Amino acid sequence: MLLGANKSLLALTVVAGTLLTGCNDTSPDPKSTNPTKSVVKPDAPTGPIANDNLDQFSWTWSPNFTGKQFYEIKVQGQPWVTVNGNPHQLVIDAVYTAGDIQVRVKADSTQHRTMSEALISTSAYTASSVVERPKSPTNPIQNDNLNTFDWDLVTDFNDVSEYEYSLTGGVDWTTVANKPLLVGDVNIDAGHVLVRVKANLATGSLAGRALISTQAFTSGAPVVIAALTSPDIVNKNMDSSNEVKTNGFGWDWVTNSNTKDTYDQPEQYEFTNDGGATWQAVTYNPQHVGPKAYDKTDVGVRVKKNAITNQVNPVGETLFATAASANFSVTRVVPMKTWNQAQKLTLTGNWSKADDDGCYIEYDVSG
C-alpha cells in the first residue's frame, strides 16, 4: 500500500511540475488552498403524484439526490419544511387546489448547492369530510415478473368495467377491461399505477379514491414457461394381435419459473395435430389427439395463455412428439364422452368405456 501511495505522490509532483514549467500570470496557482467552486443547482424533481385518499404527495427523485433528507416541501400558507418521506404525508386533511403544494431539493452551502426549482402539484385535494366519493380499492398485488397489478374490489362495485386505471400517475385514465391489470413489460415508477372506481355521470357519483402502486415495474423480466418434457405416444402392443390404438399423447406437468406455480390440470394446456396451425383444448393427460397417423412433427402440446384463473402468462413453449419412441396410427373406433370429446385413457393406456349417454365414433381406413 505504501508503494502505491508513493507512486501517486510522484505522479502528482510530475504533473504539478509540468504545469509550472510553462506557467504565465494568468495560470491558476496550483498551491492555492481555497480554490473557487462553482455553485451547483440541482434539477427539479419530476412526476408529481397527489394521493387524495391518503393525503400524500410524492414525486420522482432528482438525479443524484435520492433520499428524503435532500428535499423540502411547502404547503400553501405554511413555510418550507423538510419532507417526512416520499411520499410526504400531509399533516392536515384539507382542501388544496392544484399548485398549493411544492417540493424542491434543499440548498446546502457546505456543498456549494443552491435550491432547485420547485415541482408544483397539478391535482387538487379534497377534504374527506367535504366530498363523498367511493373508497379506494384495497390489497394491491403487484407482480413485476408477470407485469400485473391486482386489487380487491370496492363494496358495491363488483364489475371490473366500473374501474379505471392510470399508468401515468393520474394524468391519463383508461377503463379496466381485465383483472388483474396487465401493464406491459415496461419501466413504470412506483406510484404511477393507479386504480379507482370511475365517475358515474348518470348517478352523479364522483371518481373514487385511488389505490396507488408502491413498487416500480421494470422491463426485461419476461415470464418463462419452459417446454414440457417426457413426450409419450400411447399406442399399446402395436406388433401383436392385442394392439390397443388410442393415439394418446402424454407429458410431464411443467412449472412457471417466475411464479413457481405448477400447471397440473389438463385444462391448462392445449394441443395441436397440424404443426401449430390450430390449437385445441386438452381434456386429459394423456390426450387423444385424433384418429389419423399423424407425423410426430405435427403433434405438440403447450401451456395455454392465462392458464390459471386471475393470473397472466404467455403461451408456453411447445413440446412436439418427435422424441417419443412410438408412432401415431389410424384409430378406427374412438369411444366418446360427448359428441366432440373422446373418453380419457386409463393408467394402463387403454380406453375408458363409453358412458351410458356416450357413444363411439368409427372412422375409415384413413382416419
Side-chain angles (χ1 to χ4, degrees):
M1 294 299 294
L2 288 175
L3 180 59
N6 289 337
K7 285 184 177 180
S8 298
L9 292 172
L10 178 60
L12 288 172
T13 302
V14 172
V15 172
T18 301
L19 289 173
L20 290 174
T21 299
C23 65
N24 53 45
D25 293 340
T26 61
S27 299
D29 182 359
K31 298 187 295 294
S32 173
T33 59
N34 187 28
T36 301
K37 292 186 177 180
S38 58
V39 176
V40 175
K41 184 174 184 178
D43 293 337
T46 58
I49 301 174
N51 186 337
D52 189 24
N53 184 40
L54 299 178
D55 296 315
Q56 294 176 340
F57 184 75
S58 58
W59 62 94
T60 300
W61 303 118
S62 299
N64 302 318
F65 295 95
T66 301
K68 66 180 184 179
Q69 68 273 18
F70 296 112
Y71 293 83
E72 58 187 359
I73 191 168
K74 177 175 174 60
V75 179
Q76 184 67 23
Q78 302 176 28
W80 286 96
V81 295
T82 300
V83 302
N84 54 36
N86 185 4
H88 173 86
Q89 183 68 54
L90 298 174
V91 178
I92 302 174
D93 177 22
V95 176
Y96 301 108
T97 62
D100 279 355
I101 298 173
Q102 304 177 56
V103 168
R104 68 187 181 189
V105 178
K106 294 190 294 186
D108 186 344
S109 60
T110 65
Q111 300 297 319
H112 301 274
R113 185 180 76 233
T114 187
M115 76 283 290
S116 72
E117 296 294 331
L119 171 69
I120 300 176
S121 62
T122 57
S123 300
Y125 289 81
T126 56
S128 299
S129 59
V130 176
V131 178
E132 185 65 30
R133 63 175 71 230
K135 295 180 180 180
S136 70
T138 56
N139 190 29
I141 302 173
Q142 185 168 335
N143 192 318
D144 193 26
N145 289 327
L146 296 177
N147 302 316
T148 59
F149 186 77
D150 203 359
W151 63 93
D152 287 347
L153 298 174
V154 179
T155 303
D156 298 328
F157 297 92
N158 300 318
D159 193 321
V160 295
S161 64
E162 296 179 286
Y163 295 79
E164 59 187 358
Y165 70 92
S166 174
L167 305 182
T168 57
V171 176
D172 305 293
W173 292 90
T174 304
T175 298
V176 172
N178 295 291
K179 181 178 179 293
L181 178 67
L182 182 60
V183 304
D185 186 24
V186 293
N187 293 316
I188 305 177
D189 290 334
H192 283 232
V193 178
L194 294 80
V195 174
R196 68 184 182 187
V197 175
K198 293 193 303 184
N200 189 324
L201 297 178
T203 62
S205 174
L206 297 174
R209 302 185 183 279
L211 174 67
I212 300 178
S213 62
T214 58
Q215 304 172 42
F217 283 95
T218 55
S219 62
V223 175
V224 179
I225 301 176
L228 317 180
T229 58
S230 304
D232 181 29
I233 295 175
V234 184
N235 279 324
K236 293 180 59 180
N237 308 323
M238 295 302 291
D239 297 326
S240 73
S241 59
N242 296 323
E243 69 179 17
V244 179
K245 296 179 181 179
T246 61
N247 269 4
F249 185 51
W251 64 94
D252 287 345
W253 304 128
V254 71
T255 299
N256 185 317
S257 62
N258 297 95
T259 65
K260 307 307 179 184
D261 289 314
T262 298
Y263 298 97
D264 56 4
Q265 300 299 318
E267 61 269 19
Q268 295 167 343
Y269 295 80
E270 56 190 1
F271 76 93
T272 180
N273 57 20
D274 56 10
T278 59
W279 292 87
Q280 304 177 51
V282 168
T283 53
Y284 307 109
N285 181 5
Q287 171 68 43
H288 170 67
V289 298
K292 298 182 179 181
Y294 302 102
D295 190 294
K296 290 192 285 188
T297 60
D298 286 336
V299 177
V301 65
R302 69 186 183 185
V303 175
K304 69 181 183 180
K305 183 178 181 180
N306 302 340
I308 298 177
T309 303
N310 291 330
Q311 289 192 21
V312 177
N313 66 268
V315 295
E317 297 181 41
T318 301
L319 172 69
F320 284 101
T322 49
S325 58
N327 294 299
F328 294 105
S329 178
V330 172
T331 306
R332 297 290 304 276
V333 179
V334 176
M336 304 296 290
K337 184 174 182 62
T338 63
W339 71 270
N340 64 348
Q341 179 182 331
Q343 278 286 0
K344 69 178 181 179
L345 306 184
T346 67
L347 295 177
T348 58
N350 295 307
W351 285 112
S352 295
K353 183 180 179 180
D355 299 334
D356 291 340
D357 58 350
C359 61
Y360 291 83
I361 292 182
E362 183 176 359
Y363 294 92
D364 63 20
V365 294
S366 299

